[in-house]
């Protein structure tokens, strides 16, 4: 009863921030993302009667009660589906910093769902795996798939909210995301509590929701047409709208660091000069730059000249999450 899965993280181009149903992790709005090939989590799950409690080991360190409890809650969903009682040992490796705004929870819960389901002897399709992954972390339901992905809520019930692929990685090979890591520190406010505070207190929240349907419609069309300028423009504007709901939360949620702003400003300047980068940022200080392959070398050179990046990772579109052992 042991299996290993590997899943890639994803970055949202039209984002979700806020839940309609906290228990089932059903979002206020649909979202669209791209899966990234260089940021991934590899997770091994073993169910066995010799384990008295669930054990969670992340990046070779045994985790304490708080993080293990989250994993146990997720394993309970699988145990219930498979009608088993065994506790599990879960070993996960992230090849990038955890909990710092790089969507580590998206790859983490996608890999955990797939590995645990397989280890428990379940044979689930991608839609069901996406539905299960959603309950660990919303964005994880998108990491079940590769390429460009949409997360839709068709019905406000457990089985009605899951992801689907919009475009496979092979269809748009020039698309790149440059991930610029400016800090390895764990964020102080989790997405889960941050978004709940925003929904409860930001006067901008209702206006943000009103603009989403249009962003989704345009983004999906732009991806299908491979219209890079339109994808970049909508993603950047959508990111700024989400951050404006965070900034106007009480107390304010400011995930950006001075280095984040420096990169934003540089990207705006570089767009005046024959380059076409756009930025997007999640719940953390790291900047993800959307661009085409032709601009990667020059953008990397300029980013290095800024001397603020701890690490620069050039990603192509990632493939779907898979069982590897
Ligand atoms: O996956 P969660 O529930 O931790 O929330 C992720 C929220 C954002 O990354 C900010 C936006 C998104 O759609 O991924």
């Amino acid at each position: 009863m042991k299996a290993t899965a590997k899943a890639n993280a994803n970055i949202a181009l039209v984002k979700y921030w806020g839940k309609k149903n906290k228990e089932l992790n059903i979002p206020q709005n649909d979202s669209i993302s791209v899966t990234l090939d260089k940021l991934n989590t590899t997770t091994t799950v073993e169910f066995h009667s010799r384990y008295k409690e669930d054990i969670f080991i992340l990046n070779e360190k045994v985790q304490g009660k708080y993080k293990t409890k989250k994993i146990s809650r997720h394993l309970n969903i699988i145990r219930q589906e498979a009608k088993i009682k065994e506790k599990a040992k879960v070993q996960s490796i992230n090849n990038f910093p955890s909990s710092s705004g790089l969507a580590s929870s998206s790859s983490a819960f996608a890999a955990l769902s797939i590995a645990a389901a397989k280890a428990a002897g379940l044979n689930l399709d991608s839609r069901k795996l996406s539905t299960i992954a959603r309950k660990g972390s919303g964005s994880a339901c998108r990491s079940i798939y590769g390429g460009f992905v949409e997360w839709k809520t068709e019905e406000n019930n457990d089985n009605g909210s899951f992801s689907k692929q919009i475009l496979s990685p092979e269809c748009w090979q020039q698309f790149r995301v440059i991930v610029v890591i400016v800090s390895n520190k764990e964020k102080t406010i989790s997405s889960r509590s941050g978004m709940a505070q925003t929904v409860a207190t930001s006067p901008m929240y209702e206006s943000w929701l009103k603009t989403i349907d249009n962003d989704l419609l345009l983004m999906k069309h732009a991806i299908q047409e491979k219209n890079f300028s339109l994808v970049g423009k909508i993603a950047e504007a959508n990111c700024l709208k989400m951050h404006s709901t965070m900034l106007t939360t009480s107390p304010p949620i400011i995930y950006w660091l001075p280095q984040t702003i420096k990169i934003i400003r540089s990207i705006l300047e570089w767009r005046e000069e024959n380059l076409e980068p756009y930025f997007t940022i999640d719940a953390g200080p790291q900047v993800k730059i959307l661009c085409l392959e032709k601009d990667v070398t020059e953008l990397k050179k300029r980013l290095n000249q800024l001397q603020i990046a701890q690490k620069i990772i050039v990603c192509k579109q990632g493939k779907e999450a898979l069982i590897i052992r």
Side-chain angles (χ1 to χ4, degrees), residues 10-12 14-17 19 25 31 103 105-106 137-140 142 151 187 191-192 195 242 246 281-283:
N10 70 77
I11 171 83
V14 176
K15 299 182 188 291
Y16 106 91
W17 190 248
K19 291 169 191 174
N25 242 4
S31 55
S105 63
S106 65
S137 161
S139 55
R142 299 185 306 236
W151 171 15
K187 58 192 173 200
S191 316
R192 193 176 287 253
M195 62 179 78
M242 178 185 74
M246 295 167 168
I281 303 159
D282 278 345

Side-chain angles (χ1 to χ4, degrees), residues 180 270 289 299-307 312:
V180 190
W270 298 339
I289 303 176
L299 288 170
K300 263 184 87 176
K301 190 177 109 198
R302 291 181 183 214
L303 286 163
N304 280 322
Q305 282 164 353
L306 293 179
Q307 294 190 335
I312 297 171

Side-chain angles (χ1 to χ4, degrees), residues 224-250:
Q224 280 161 344
E225 298 286 310
K226 290 178 254 171
N227 180 339
F228 175 70
S229 303
L230 196 54
V231 168
K233 278 180 195 144
I234 305 162
E236 197 174 278
N238 182 270
C239 157
L240 289 171
K241 282 186 285 185
M242 178 185 74
H243 281 271
S244 70
T245 71
M246 295 167 168
L247 296 171
T248 48
T249 294
S250 175

